[in-house]
Amino acid sequence: MCTERYIDPFTDFGFKRMFGSDRCKSYLINFLNSLLGDEDKIIDITYRNTEQLGLLPGDRNAIYDLYCTTDNGGHIIVEMQNSKQRFFIDRAVYYSTFPIQKAAEPGSEWNYQLPKVYMVAFLNFVMSNYADNPSYKHDVKLVDIATGTVFYQKLNYIFLEMPKFIKCEEELSDRQEDWLYVIKNLAKLPEIPERLDDDLFRSFFQLAEVSKLSPEEYEAYEASLKRQRDNYNVVVTAVEEGKMIVARNLKEMNIPVDTIAKASGLSPEEIEKL
């Protein structure tokens, strides 16, 4: 049973409730503008079908968490990813190609002009290639390696590593950080923080109240929470079993216990029991 006052945005239900429909449009626009800056300022968005079909029968499809187009012609895919995947970057690139593929106009006179595409990914883990980078936000584009200049402006990836965002309320400095703080901490907050006490966030927090859910919505939220917890436990169990296997193999090789402890993360007592 859920005992928190506000829903968890890291659940599938919570993320879509807070950002995935017309009643949430103002929240998503405000957040996206905090990420994109004035160059691509969004006035309005239109939600699109999140299931993208391949061009030919038998082609693989893609199902986004959120997909919208903007008043200035851009396409924005928003993903919430809780668990690390081996080929997550490949998946992100693959997902970003669907709006590009669909841009072709019928007939022979199309000039190949493409829309601007953004892939925004909330990650509840640290990416391997950024493990030593303290920054939580990574803006990725195609660049000329020799000069470092952007080669192509219309394909953009924004990766947000949420575990690295550790600011408290008193340290928040702009709207982007306000949103990241809320998304990361919403399920743990007892009330709306004083800094965020404005019309937009008051409305957002009201929508996020668990007590405002209908019985059907509450049941769907509980199911979403259960899936999230089950997935987390599967990952934790796999990691723990992997540590045990490594430690057992090292122990059979007569490696000192203190060395095994450093290599596996297990305590000396746990290693002695293997």
Side-chain angles (χ1 to χ4, degrees):
M1 179 183 239
C2 176
T3 58
E4 293 81 13
R5 180 174 179 181
Y6 301 109
I7 63 176
D8 186 348
F10 283 94
T11 61
D12 184 64
F13 175 92
F15 188 66
K16 289 181 172 63
R17 177 175 175 82
M18 303 317 302
F19 295 106
S21 66
D22 281 333
R23 67 176 174 177
C24 315
K25 182 184 292 191
S26 60
Y27 313 140
L28 185 59
I29 290 173
N30 192 271
F31 173 65
L32 291 174
N33 280 333
S34 77
L35 286 178
L36 305 183
D38 292 335
E39 180 183 349
D40 290 316
K41 189 173 181 62
I42 301 167
I43 304 299
D44 195 15
I45 60 173
T46 302
Y47 288 96
R48 301 296 186 185
N49 189 345
T50 56
E51 183 174 9
Q52 300 299 299
L53 304 179
L55 296 178
L56 299 173
D59 284 355
R60 287 190 177 275
N61 302 334
I63 300 179
Y64 307 142
D65 287 332
L66 295 179
Y67 175 39
C68 60
T69 52
T70 70
D71 57 290
N72 53 20
H75 292 241
I76 301 180
I77 302 159
V78 186
E79 286 284 297
M80 175 70 78
Q81 186 70 27
N82 275 303
S83 301
K84 183 179 286 189
Q85 293 184 358
R86 183 180 178 188
F87 297 111
F88 172 73
I89 295 177
D90 299 68
R91 177 188 166 204
V93 173
Y94 173 69
Y95 272 26
S96 70
T97 64
F98 279 79
I100 297 173
Q101 294 174 42
K102 301 288 178 66
E105 298 178 2
S108 59
E109 297 181 357
W110 181 48
N111 63 4
Y112 288 96
Q113 183 177 9
L114 296 174
K116 182 171 283 191
V117 176
Y118 278 95
M119 174 79 174
V120 179
F122 291 90
L123 308 179
N124 210 6
F125 58 88
V126 173
M127 300 170 73
S128 299
N129 50 333
Y130 289 127
D132 297 324
N133 187 328
S135 176
Y136 63 83
K137 180 185 177 186
H138 307 284
D139 291 286
V140 180
K141 298 176 185 286
L142 293 174
V143 301
D144 184 308
I145 294 176
T147 64
T149 57
V150 176
F151 172 74
Y152 186 66
Q153 293 279 0
K154 291 184 177 181
L155 186 56
N156 308 269
Y157 301 90
I158 299 176
F159 298 105
L160 301 166
E161 297 177 294
M162 299 305 287
K164 291 182 180 178
F165 185 80
I166 56 176
K167 290 192 174 184
C168 62
E169 181 185 351
E170 293 72 25
E171 297 173 315
L172 304 177
S173 61
D174 56 29
R175 201 58 158 180
Q176 179 183 138
E177 292 184 353
D178 291 344
W179 274 114
L180 294 178
Y181 177 81
V182 168
I183 291 167
K184 182 169 184 175
N185 297 290
L186 182 62
K188 296 179 279 187
L189 294 174
E191 59 187 13
I192 182 170
E194 183 177 351
R195 172 183 169 85
L196 307 178
D197 193 8
D198 59 31
D199 289 343
L200 183 79
F201 273 118
R202 277 196 296 270
S203 172
F204 180 87
F205 272 76
Q206 287 175 3
L207 183 62
E209 287 196 52
V210 173
S211 63
K212 300 287 178 65
L213 299 176
S214 69
E216 294 77 16
E217 289 172 332
Y218 185 81
E219 183 177 348
Y221 178 48
E222 281 285 327
S224 192
L225 271 176
K226 183 180 183 301
R227 286 194 299 273
Q228 183 192 45
R229 291 164 179 162
D230 288 347
N231 289 338
Y232 173 78
N233 285 323
V234 167
V235 172
V236 170
T237 300
V239 170
E240 290 177 348
E241 290 181 350
K243 288 180 178 180
M244 293 290 187
I245 292 172
V246 169
R248 188 177 293 111
N249 289 340
L250 293 175
K251 188 176 181 181
E252 291 176 356
M253 296 168 62
N254 295 318
I255 303 297
V257 171
D258 59 338
T259 302
I260 299 175
K262 291 179 181 178
S264 66
L266 298 176
S267 67
E269 293 76 20
E270 290 173 313
I271 295 169
E272 293 292 352
K273 295 178 182 178
L274 293 176

